[in-house]
Amino acid sequence: SVGVFLHSLINCFPAVSPVRQSGLPFIEGLGKSKMLLDIFNSAVQSTDPSISQSREELYNTIFIPYWRQNLENGNPSDAAGLDSFNKYFFPSFHFIKTMYNNHIIKITSTHKHNTPFFIAMSAPQGCGKTTFTDLVCKLFAHTGVNCVSMSLDDFYLTGSDQDAIAAQYHSNPLLQYRGNAGTHDLKLALDTLEALKTVEPGSPVSIPRYDKSLRAGRGDRSPPSRWTAIDSRVDVVLFEGWMLGFTPTELQSPAAGASSCEALSVPEDIPTEGIQEVDRLLHSYRTLHDLFDLWLLLAVKDLSQVFAWRLEAEHKMLAAGRAGLTDSQVRDFVLRFMPAYAKYAPFMYAHGPQRQEGVPVLKICVDKDRQPTTVDVID
């Protein structure tokens, strides 16, 4: 139940801030989520052994094997893994699973039995989106739920089409490379998500994949033979992207229930040339944003952290023998994203991503080690 999850969240975040009464890690301003806050408060003193049993089972059977296999860089200890699991992965999954259960009740009552639960995850590059989505899908699978993950990155334009965009906007430095609004194949993304509503055995749906190492690191769409085929009914779709949920400037109207997370630190030397064209192109993403039933938002306190995380990712790719960017190219690459971060992230962190009215947002602020510091719900 929601109450059980919220109780587990208290136990899993013993040292986060800011705090409310009784040391609760939730922030004021839940708006329509007042009911969730009431359930949260009423569950503070209760105990439920089933939550501990579930946490222990998922940790031992799913998380630790994944942690040891995929996160060897720096040889993180199992103790560090347990800390991450308790503070981040398990409570996040439990929240998502609760929302999914509510979705099942809703579609059963409306006889829309083949409608997957669409989740959007908006988070900066390098903060661990892939690890999060992989783990959530594995945890769902352990509970008998078929979860499919994909990335907005997989829907970048083909290399030739991106070159055409670069030529069309030859004076715009933000559109000379993949990344910003205007460099995605939105029709392909929308068609793929729509197809996942009706996938059945014998009628597979292929999810495109993008290879960032092609064309000397400029990237290109992988050939269809390398796409991921889905041939069974999908229960949950987890769709992540660095710029998902950004709201065009003219639509950024302050709303009630704003989040009170720490103010975002923005580097002073971020260029602004070309952002007006990107802002115009961003309007076309509204249809995609409106598809999702739940949003997960990972927020950072300092945008300069994106540089360090991206550099770390490129070093790992080079170490694995794949083509990647040099350090100077990484800085040039990230600088192309920074104007959008600076223009859209402050509003999104305060009011949530662009979405349909009433769709909830679970927001988690993370530090440089990708560990949670505060948790918020925006509705």
Side-chain angles (χ1 to χ4, degrees):
S1 68
V2 175
V4 171
F5 161 71
L6 292 174
H7 174 70
S8 73
L9 192 59
I10 300 169
N11 294 333
C12 293
F13 285 85
V16 293
S17 63
V19 296
R20 297 188 59 220
Q21 58 182 348
S22 304
L24 308 185
F26 250 54
I27 302 173
E28 289 279 16
L30 294 181
K32 293 181 181 179
S33 295
K34 178 64 165 59
M35 182 179 66
L36 284 177
L37 183 60
D38 291 341
I39 296 173
F40 180 87
N41 288 332
S42 67
V44 171
Q45 303 302 326
S46 66
T47 59
D48 188 335
S50 65
I51 203 70
S52 297
Q53 294 171 4
S54 175
R55 182 191 296 116
E56 182 178 356
E57 178 185 355
L58 292 174
Y59 174 75
N60 289 321
T61 60
I62 304 298
F63 180 79
I64 270 297
Y66 181 90
W67 177 264
R68 292 172 177 171
Q69 179 181 355
N70 295 282
L71 303 179
E72 332 100 3
N73 186 42
N75 296 313
S77 66
D78 286 355
L82 178 60
D83 189 56
S84 293
F85 184 75
N86 284 341
K87 290 183 177 180
Y88 181 27
F89 295 108
F90 179 74
S92 298
F93 171 71
H94 219 62
F95 182 88
I96 296 168
K97 185 64 161 59
T98 299
M99 298 299 103
Y100 167 73
N101 290 341
N102 291 341
H103 169 76
I104 292 299
I105 294 173
K106 179 180 178 180
I107 65 173
T108 299
S109 65
T110 57
H111 305 290
K112 297 180 179 179
H113 301 289
N114 292 325
T115 304
F117 188 48
F118 289 101
I119 305 170
M121 181 180 185
S122 184
Q125 296 120 312
C127 71
K129 295 187 298 296
T130 301
T131 297
F132 183 93
T133 54
D134 284 352
L135 272 171
V136 166
C137 283
K138 289 180 181 296
L139 294 170
F140 262 125
H142 188 73
T143 63
V145 176
N146 185 22
C147 174
V148 172
S149 66
M150 62 185 73
S151 172
L152 182 62
D153 288 2
D154 287 320
F155 296 95
Y156 279 133
L157 295 169
T158 62
S160 59
D161 286 343
Q162 177 57 51
D163 289 344
I165 290 291
Q168 179 180 351
Y169 300 100
H170 59 87
S171 62
N172 190 328
L174 303 182
L175 294 173
Q176 300 307 300
Y177 206 84
R178 69 177 190 267
N180 281 293
T183 64
H184 301 93
D185 189 335
L186 292 177
K187 184 180 185 304
L188 180 60
L190 293 170
D191 288 347
T192 302
L193 291 171
E194 182 65 27
L196 289 174
K197 295 180 180 180
T198 57
V199 61
E200 296 289 347
S203 301
V205 172
S206 293
I207 299 176
R209 297 305 182 195
Y210 192 90
D211 190 340
K212 297 177 182 178
S213 69
L214 296 178
R215 302 201 310 155
R218 291 186 62 85
D220 202 350
R221 188 176 299 161
S222 297
S225 61
R226 295 179 56 192
W227 294 11
T228 301
I230 307 298
D231 59 1
S232 59
R233 199 183 88 171
V234 176
D235 301 309
V236 175
V237 176
L238 187 48
F239 193 104
E240 56 90 353
W242 76 274
M243 56 157 284
L244 274 181
F246 282 178
T247 303
T249 305
E250 67 179 85
L251 302 179
Q252 292 184 7
S253 56
S259 166
S260 58
C261 191
E262 299 174 83
L264 177 65
S265 175
V266 180
E268 297 180 355
D269 59 345
I270 293 178
T272 59
E273 182 184 358
I275 192 62
Q276 293 82 7
E277 190 67 49
V278 170
D279 193 58
R280 184 184 68 79
L281 293 169
L282 185 59
H283 282 270
S284 62
Y285 288 70
R286 180 61 188 261
T287 303
L288 176 63
H289 295 161
D290 282 350
L291 285 178
F292 299 105
D293 304 298
L294 173 68
W295 282 80
L296 308 175
L297 175 59
L298 295 189
V300 294
K301 181 180 178 180
D302 188 346
L303 281 179
S304 63
Q305 185 59 49
V306 177
F307 283 106
W309 282 339
R310 185 67 204 183
L311 195 62
E312 177 185 306
E314 291 295 332
H315 287 174
K316 287 182 178 179
M317 188 153 52
L318 291 170
R322 302 176 65 195
L325 304 177
T326 65
D327 289 6
S328 61
Q329 288 173 327
V330 166
R331 178 168 180 79
D332 179 65
F333 176 76
V334 175
L335 275 175
R336 301 177 191 273
F337 295 85
M338 280 297 169
Y341 278 126
K343 194 172 188 66
Y344 306 114
F347 180 85
M348 183 168 69
Y349 286 6
H351 303 284
Q354 183 184 52
R355 64 199 186 281
Q356 289 200 61
E357 184 177 357
V359 173
V361 181
L362 175 66
K363 172 185 170 184
I364 301 175
C365 297
V366 297
D367 61 20
K368 63 182 180 62
D369 297 317
R370 304 176 181 87
Q371 294 301 304
T373 57
T374 59
V375 181
D376 193 6
V377 170
I378 307 173
D379 201 348

